[in-house]
Amino acid sequence: MAAGETIRAAVEELSKALTSLDNALDMRFDRERDHGEIEGEVRRVNVDRSRLAQELDQAEFRANRLEEVNREVSRRLVTAMETIRAVLDR
């Protein structure tokens, strides 16, 4: 092999190696971007989960409060009915 052919072959090998390196870097950047997108989605899901948990706590509080009010109204209705019966029985 002549010196010129050896250099040409070396340049071609170097070119192939650089192309392979460029492709590997592109794939790595794509994976990193995908990973970043996944992390962003996980953060959004966690924010949604926190918001939903807070809304659930508020809904449970309102439901408990309504249950207490319902019991109080029921108690007052029973008292009112007993009072009306007592008046009617006189």
Side-chain angles (χ1 to χ4, degrees):
M1 218 188 240
E5 291 177 22
T6 303
I7 291 174
R8 191 175 308 121
V11 167
E12 286 177 17
E13 287 296 319
L14 179 59
S15 178
K16 288 178 187 178
L18 288 174
T19 299
S20 293
L21 178 60
D22 189 43
N23 290 338
L25 287 172
D26 286 344
M27 289 187 334
R28 175 66 187 251
F29 289 142
D30 288 344
R31 281 195 309 269
E32 297 249 346
R33 186 192 70 239
D34 292 345
H35 183 70
E37 289 173 0
I38 290 170
E39 285 179 344
E41 184 63 24
V42 167
R43 279 193 296 276
R44 285 187 293 276
V45 167
N46 283 334
V47 167
D48 284 347
R49 185 201 58 78
S50 295
R51 180 183 52 80
L52 290 171
Q54 185 178 16
E55 289 176 7
L56 177 62
D57 289 344
Q58 291 171 349
E60 287 176 342
F61 175 79
R62 284 191 305 269
N64 289 337
R65 181 68 183 126
L66 286 173
E67 190 175 319
E68 291 172 11
V69 169
N70 186 36
R71 279 196 296 270
E72 179 63 18
V73 167
S74 179
R75 186 189 64 75
R76 288 182 183 189
L77 283 173
V78 167
T79 302
M81 288 187 308
E82 289 173 352
T83 303
I84 291 170
R85 277 192 195 117
V87 168
L88 292 175
D89 288 342
R90 286 187 194 171

